[in-house]
Amino acid sequence: MVQIDRYHANPLITPEDVTPIIPGCEVVGVFNAATAVFEEEIILILRVAESAIVSERGQIVAPVYDPAVRDVVFVRLNADDVRYDFSDPRVIRARESSTSSFLTSISYLRLARSQDGHHFTVEDRAFLFPHNELDAYGIEDPRCSKVGDQYYIAYTAVSRLGASVGLASTQDFTNAVRHGIIFPPENKDVVLFPEMINGRYYAIHRPVPSGIGAPEMWIAESRDLIHWGNHRFLLGLRRNFWDCKRIGAGAVPIRTPDGWLEIYHAVDERDRYCLGAVLLDLHDPSAVLARTDRPILIPEEQYETSGFFSNVVFSCGAVVVNDRLRIYYGAADDSMACMELRMQEVLNELRAVVA
Amino acid sequence: MVQIDRYHANPLITPEDVTPIIPGCEVVGVFNAATAVFEEEIILILRVAESAIVSERGQIVAPVYDPAVRDVVFVRLNADDVRYDFSDPRVIRARESSTSSFLTSISYLRLARSQDGHHFTVEDRAFLFPHNELDAYGIEDPRCSKVGDQYYIAYTAVSRLGASVGLASTQDFTNAVRHGIIFPPENKDVVLFPEMINGRYYAIHRPVPSGIGAPEMWIAESRDLIHWGNHRFLLGLRRNFWDCKRIGAGAVPIRTPDGWLEIYHAVDERDRYCLGAVLLDLHDPSAVLARTDRPILIPEEQYETSGFFSNVVFSCGAVVVNDRLRIYYGAADDSMACMELRMQEVLNELRAVVA
């Protein structure tokens, strides 16, 4: 069993620490942040979710970016509208395909900077905000990979057309360049490997087929990080395990002597999100070497078990600090937290599986 | 209204015209063929579907390619197995996500050649057969684009992991080279534009998101036809129209003076598949210029309204013959048929929509 050390003053950042930037909204979540080390600072690329402040009883309001007016507009629904299922706190699900679904909040990316990795200053403006019809419902769950002198940020772009994966890059964490949608819907949880392997870039992604198939992990190849092909199946669900319902990549893969270490998340039968690890071949990351039988991190602390969506630990980034891995993670779709573990212990746990 | 002339001796090819190549199977469908003009012949790249000949009553058999034994094996299920929904003649749907769905037949590609475009000789061997875990349930619905001296064939690869899109190429219609999966699940109905446009290749594809979103047409870009990016939304469903339930590209886009002419299929509320047309900008095929309000072809003849899956006309290829467009199409997921129309009439119909 891997010993994990949660930071004693978790959570690191909560919605109360972040001022809203959308008029008429409040911050309901600051979570699932990508990580980057830049100019001796640790940067969290936060997913900030804002919801409309609703004054009228029985009204449900969906904030949506409208490219025509270049601003967030509010779609107002009655809580007793039978066309929708309001039971999920995150999604307003249309009961028929001819009606559009909505989200209860709109997410965008915002930076927080830290010298020590624990105390963060949150910027007062967005770093990447919805800008067209493909991200009109929000920009979510970023992962940041440093490739050469560029930081590439893969994120979920959500709209009425589905959840797809967008790519942006930055050199200075001031200006970002958008590279469009790299994986069409439905797809999420994309991590780009931080270097070429045998002349190719690789990405892990998580398509969600509508008919045959399940929410599982695939791997794809690219020559330029923008155009992707040779999609192959990578890692599937395991019945009666902690990763039986849906799985997806978490932190950007970390090179170790034993292989690429990937911290991934999975959902179990009770809709609980845990973190585990998988080891991929250094020279062929489509080859799975080992996988933890048990989760590494389970929601147990109060800030993990209770929040906007309870019983969630969900990582989009980690940093190596000497012989330890510091995993930043969203807790209960609400706040940011972090924990550390000894890298060697994870690798030992994985080695035991192989043996 | 566009006048359509069905070939007087439709259907062109029926299952009775095709000998099975899988031991223990019979041909249940020969349909949805791609077209190519090669060495003064018209080639149909047929989708041939074979099903197990079942001798035991109450047994449902799914043929599946098993890469381990490099052969088709038979999965035998009882018709009263409550874990499955057997109501769709095409799919054995698992009622729970932890159980695999199956298809009732396995499809592969097979060539038919003709001098006159109406009388075809079907080859007695497969041209492209399932070969790994990603196409183990079959290879379906090919589209063939001639780019330079290469013929590229995009097809649906189906397996327990979902329906994705594979790419193969040939120069001689004898040997095919596989290029892997170019669009991950769930995706189908991919047509590659036959030439570069402003230095980029384009493909129309049809993702099917599981959550938010609908089965609609998207467009993507490539530099090499193998790696794809910059996915954008292209064409959506229209409520209360003939294309209200699902739509997808049909024949490979045809260059006309007015724009790229794309014959597409759509499904209406009663699960009827019809054909219509959309016109895309010559210099920017992501721009929709016009779209037929009414279908061009509706299932009306007996071979279209009754078959393996009734009320289907579905095109994967067309050829221009002088001033006429000859559209080859699958009828009722069963047989191949063709019809012709005057190109100018379709363009006039589309022009009327724009005006």
Side-chain angles (χ1 to χ4, degrees), chain B residues 224-237:
Chain B
D224 59 7
L225 295 166
I226 292 172
H227 303 83
W228 293 89
N230 198 20
H231 298 268
R232 286 175 288 170
F233 181 73
L234 181 66
L235 199 71
L237 304 174

Side-chain angles (χ1 to χ4, degrees), chain B residues 20 44 68 198 217 246 268 309 330:
Chain B
L44 293 182
N198 292 327
M217 288 158 71
R246 41 205 309 139
D268 68 14
F309 195 83

Side-chain angles (χ1 to χ4, degrees), chain B residues 286-303:
Chain B
S286 72
V288 175
L289 302 180
R291 177 177 183 181
T292 49
D293 279 340
R294 297 165 294 190
I296 290 173
L297 186 68
I298 294 172
E300 285 166 335
E301 297 293 327
Q302 189 269 330
Y303 54 88

